[in-house]
Amino acid sequence: MARRPTIKDIARQAGVSESAVSFALNDRPGVSQDTRARIRSVAEELGWQPNIAARALSGERSGAVGLVLARPAHTLGVESFFLQLVAGIQEVLAAQRTALLFQVVDDLDAECALYRRWWAERRVDGVLVVDPRTDDPRPRLLDGLGLPAVTVGAPGGPGPALLSSVWADDAGAMARILDHLHALGHRRITHVAGLPGLAHTARRIASLRAEADRRGLTEAEVSSITTDYSDAQGAEATRRVLRGPLPPTALVYDNDVMAVAGLAVAAEAGIAVPGRLSVVAWDDSALCRVTHPRLTALVRDTAGFGRLAAEELLAVLAGGPPRARQGEQPRLEPRESTAPPTAAY
């Protein structure tokens, strides 16, 4: 393998001292503009890149930010949300020549341990914290470590915030879905939710209950079931509620994968969609648009949400104060999977 070019190589080819090269490449005074330009031209010609590990040991930035996901690994390959989120994050970071260090772990304890190791090894300059919990130890841990962070999906609460956050209006989104279904005449609605313990799952369930109460619907008519977001658990939850004594006339799924799985279960059982059952997906995707019937879905700019999160983390790294920023409001896209319920069902 070819040897990596060093500062010594640049100095030799540019005809300057190693200290002059260091000044030029680190934007420090001590060399003229012409010399600085010549040194940078030689560095680019040789393909020189800074040694991130050495910079971290010297107390400089690592040039990377971290993202840890503590979710069942089998649920990640089928869900489009995180792929779009990471795409948006990467778009902003790449423009700033900042790397994204991504890791999947088994649970929250492993995630916290990883943050401690990254901080001790100076592997990252900051982290993006996803899947906020209802009782979350991570903000206090990261604040105590002094590791800059932005939580993705956690609105700021009362009092001073430990960390910056970007958040989406889950309550407003659920209200739009209930408005649509209620206007069609649905009174028996089941929400097939995601992982219990996640803050956004709790917000969606609470919003569903509040919207149901506002319309005079009981818990027997409108309810939520938690799952792991997978197609398998989405299908199982669908079978369970459709076999009940008072099956719902509408199902709301917390992601596109579970909604498509629920559509397949209904087809197997001979239940027409939308004739006897209406289906809504929380996340729109190509899956929702190529199924038959096409799925009514909540359209939101997930990549844009990722860009917002990355921009906020860069602002924190530049010395900005903690703050909460709201993402773009989602909208409901009615398609062929929702219609008024039949009187016989």
Side-chain angles (χ1 to χ4, degrees), residues 1-14:
M1 294 180 63
R3 181 176 62 84
R4 288 182 58 187
T6 65
I7 285 179
K8 184 180 292 186
D9 298 325
I10 299 171
R12 184 184 303 113
Q13 186 156 328

Side-chain angles (χ1 to χ4, degrees), residues 147-164:
L147 183 58
V150 171
T151 56
V152 181
L162 291 176
L163 305 178
S164 283

Side-chain angles (χ1 to χ4, degrees), residues 26-48:
N26 290 289
D27 288 322
R28 294 173 181 167
V31 293
S32 69
Q33 289 300 321
D34 289 344
T35 300
R36 189 185 306 275
R38 185 168 81 255
I39 289 170
R40 289 182 172 178
S41 176
V42 170
E44 184 175 354
E45 179 185 335
L46 294 177
W48 178 86

Side-chain angles (χ1 to χ4, degrees), residues 133-159:
R133 268 58 171 186
T134 50
D135 184 17
D136 202 327
R138 294 172 297 176
R140 191 164 300 281
L141 167 66
L142 293 166
D143 181 63
L145 291 175
L147 183 58
V150 171
T151 56
V152 181

Side-chain angles (χ1 to χ4, degrees), residues 67-71 105-116 128-131 133 138 141-142:
L67 173 62
V68 186
L69 193 57
R71 276 201 188 186
V105 296
D106 292 333
D107 52 36
L108 203 59
D109 288 340
E111 181 176 345
C112 290
L114 186 58
Y115 290 145
R116 293 187 184 95
L128 292 163
V129 181
V130 296
D131 284 346
R133 268 58 171 186
R138 294 172 297 176
L141 167 66
L142 293 166

